[in-house]
Amino acid sequence: MELHRESILSQTDVSFSLAKQLISTDFKDKNVIFSPLSIHILLGMIAAGSKGPTRDQMLGFFKSSSIEELNSLLPQHVTKVFSDGEPLGGPSLSLVNSVWVDQSLSFKPHYKEIIQNGYRAASYRVDFLTKVSFVRSFS
C-alpha cells in the first residue's frame, strides 16, 4: 500500500510540474485548460511500448521505479475515473484514446494486451503512406 501511495504522490508531483511548465509559457494572460490525466495516460502508453534509454527516461519523468509499477497505476486511473457514474448519479467521462501504427508494422501481443485491457485504448493499423482509411486491430 505504501508503494501505491508513493506512486500517486509521484504522479501528483509530475502533474504540478506540467502545470508549472505550461503556466510559465506564453499563456500568462490567458485561461488555460489541460488534463494531466490525459497526458499521463498518453505518456504511459508510450512508456509501455518503449525500452532501453527511452524507457529509462520515461520512468524518470514519471518518477517511477519500473514499467510494471507504471502499468499497474495508470490503468487503475482509467478504470476508476472513466467508469460510467450515471447509475449512481455521477459523471460519465470519456477520453479519446488509441494507438496507431503503420500497416507494415504489427503490435507485440504483450503491448497490445496492455493497451487494450489496461489502458482501454483502441489499436489501429493504418496506411500512413498512401491512404486515409484505417483497419481496426482487435482480432
Side-chain angles (χ1 to χ4, degrees), residues 18-29 32:
L18 287 169
K20 183 179 177 183
Q21 181 66 34
L22 185 64
I23 291 169
S24 69
T25 61
D26 293 334
F27 299 111
K28 290 180 182 175
D29 297 326
V32 177

Side-chain angles (χ1 to χ4, degrees), residues 75-95:
Q76 286 181 35
H77 293 324
V78 172
T79 301
K80 290 178 182 174
V81 173
F82 295 108
S83 64
D84 186 1
E86 185 64 33
L88 303 173
S92 176
L93 303 174
S94 62
L95 172 74

